[in-house]
Amino acid sequence: MSKTDQMSFFGFEPEAAEKPAKPAKASKLASPPSTAVMPAEAVAVAPVAAPLVAQASDPEAMAQVLAQHPDFRVLRRLQPVTDYGGLQGQATQRVIVLDTETTGLDSKSEKVIELAMLSVLVDAATGLPVGPVSIYESFEDPGKPIPAQITEITGIDDSMVQGQRIDDAAVNALVQEADLVVAHNAGFDRPFVEARWPVFAGKAWGCSFQGIDWKKEGSGSAKLEFLASERGWFYDAHRAQVDCHALLQVLASPLADGQSGLARLLTGADQTRYKLRATGAPFEAKDKLKARGYRWDGEGRVWWCSLGSDALLDAECAWLRAEVYGQRSARVQLEAMDSRVQFSSRSGALSERSV
């Protein structure tokens, strides 16, 4: 598309091919200005240029033009999908994508004020969602005022939840059918919903925040809004249902190996995660441990990390032996957590291992 065509498309009139010639300068031999008289009808008045106002056009067509230019990147508002189609009797697994809004961060003292769930079948062969999406969303009165900072973040105030209660029977019916429950930062959501609805404790869980190495996938951040924007979408975040729709569409997108995020999480649900505590690690190794990604447990006074497979556990024990314990004999504590325990507030199976 030529520059002229592009300007016409957006409602601008192209400039004339030739600019009008400048008026000739007055001769130095002309009469002095004080004695010169010019008839009124001879005075040329320059026309006032009309303001350049782009005419209204089809926004999608405009977006497509911009998207073709290397200096522009177009984001579209995320549109919820309520039926993915393609359901033809193939082998599937049912996944629930879940999000909560709460009165605070501590599941022992704070309450759920909004719960949203999307229940969808996932094609076992392709890892893509198929068929209709069952949607559940409801508010719940926490029995105490919602803190101002929570209202600022979520937009949920006391008047919206007053007298509301989430339907226990509806939640139980939806969750009982699920093969996997997924949340973005399941370590936050799972303790809250298990405390309120015990049915969640018997289900396998996956975490789209920890269960996928987004940095390895080439993403600059694991935040859901960032992942969505990388795929060309924006949305009004921090409300439970729209966050669920955004997460489902992100997980339906291909990863670097062509596998969908849903398929990656379903595969990972069969793996055991380990919490490794580097018991007896020497003080001088703290910088190495911190740089390696270990976290400090102030109550247990021990450095720990989370590992997603047996292979990673073996490699980590070898690193500890070489870099932390100086090849001397040592024993570390392990907490093995399968998908029915991980991300919950419940403990996994404890054991020790020599390194």
Side-chain angles (χ1 to χ4, degrees):
M1 183 181 288
S2 69
K3 179 180 179 181
T4 300
D5 291 337
Q6 290 180 11
M7 292 179 69
S8 296
F9 178 84
F10 285 107
F12 294 99
E13 290 299 324
E15 297 177 355
E18 296 183 0
K19 294 183 179 179
K22 293 182 179 179
K25 292 183 179 179
S27 170
K28 292 183 179 179
L29 300 178
S31 301
S34 59
T35 59
V37 177
M38 185 176 288
E41 61 269 21
V43 178
V45 179
V48 178
L52 296 178
V53 180
Q55 301 298 315
S57 290
D58 176 12
E60 180 56 31
M62 296 170 66
Q64 290 178 16
V65 172
L66 284 174
Q68 293 171 9
H69 195 287
D71 292 340
F72 292 90
R73 185 165 173 241
V74 176
L75 295 179
R76 291 171 171 83
R77 183 178 293 279
L78 184 136
Q79 300 298 324
V81 177
T82 58
D83 195 327
Y84 283 88
L87 183 58
Q88 300 173 344
Q90 66 269 50
T92 59
Q93 291 181 281
R94 183 166 291 279
V95 173
I96 284 180
V97 175
L98 173 149
D99 189 47
T100 62
E101 302 298 343
T102 66
T103 56
L105 301 178
D106 187 353
S107 61
K108 295 182 176 65
S109 58
E110 303 297 343
K111 303 293 183 180
V112 174
I113 55 176
E114 184 181 27
L115 171 68
M117 295 186 290
L118 306 181
S119 179
V120 64
L121 292 173
V122 177
D123 188 313
T126 66
L128 297 176
V130 292
V133 179
S134 297
I135 301 172
Y136 181 83
E137 181 182 30
S138 181
F139 291 125
E140 179 151 296
D141 191 335
K144 63 179 182 178
I146 297 175
Q149 62 268 32
I150 299 299
T151 297
E152 183 177 353
I153 293 170
T154 66
I156 302 173
D157 60 30
D158 293 332
S159 66
M160 297 167 66
V161 302
Q162 186 175 10
Q164 301 287 329
R165 181 174 174 82
I166 294 170
D167 188 335
D168 296 350
V171 171
N172 289 335
L174 210 59
V175 174
Q176 285 170 355
E177 296 179 347
D179 298 298
L180 181 70
V181 179
V182 173
H184 203 64
N185 192 10
F188 174 82
D189 295 285
R190 184 169 192 175
F192 272 99
V193 297
E194 282 193 3
R196 176 66 179 80
W197 301 278
V199 65
F200 282 106
K203 289 297 176 179
W205 277 69
C207 179
S208 52
F209 184 82
Q210 293 188 37
I212 297 174
D213 189 340
W214 293 107
K215 184 176 181 180
K216 186 177 179 180
E217 294 296 327
S219 295
S221 170
K223 289 185 64 176
L224 182 55
E225 291 172 84
F226 191 91
L227 297 174
S229 71
E230 285 187 320
R231 288 152 181 80
W233 310 310
F234 73 93
Y235 65 99
D236 301 321
H238 302 301
R239 282 300 303 274
Q241 187 180 145
V242 71
D243 281 351
C244 288
H245 283 292
L247 180 55
L248 179 56
Q249 292 188 40
V250 165
L251 294 178
S253 303
L255 300 174
D257 61 359
Q259 184 183 46
S260 75
L262 287 167
R264 180 75 60 83
L265 293 175
L266 282 165
T267 301
D270 295 329
Q271 298 176 343
T272 298
R273 297 184 66 87
Y274 297 93
K275 186 173 184 178
L276 184 156
R277 296 176 175 89
T279 50
F283 177 79
E284 57 269 22
K286 65 181 179 64
D287 291 335
K288 284 185 177 181
L289 289 164
K290 186 175 181 180
R292 183 79 170 178
Y294 281 72
R295 302 177 186 178
W296 175 249
D297 177 359
E299 185 177 347
R301 303 198 60 77
V302 65
W303 289 95
W304 67 273
C305 69
S306 179
L307 302 165
S309 69
D310 291 343
L312 291 174
L313 174 62
D314 292 341
E316 197 61 27
C317 286
W319 180 84
L320 285 171
R321 182 171 57 252
E323 300 294 333
V324 174
Y325 295 109
Q327 302 294 342
R328 79 176 195 274
S329 178
R331 296 181 70 81
V332 295
Q333 187 183 72
L334 298 179
E335 182 180 352
M337 297 170 287
D338 63 17
S339 59
R340 293 178 183 272
V341 174
Q342 61 188 347
F343 313 119
S344 75
S345 56
R346 292 172 286 124
S347 299
L350 297 177
S351 64
E352 289 187 347
R353 173 169 171 167
S354 297
V355 298

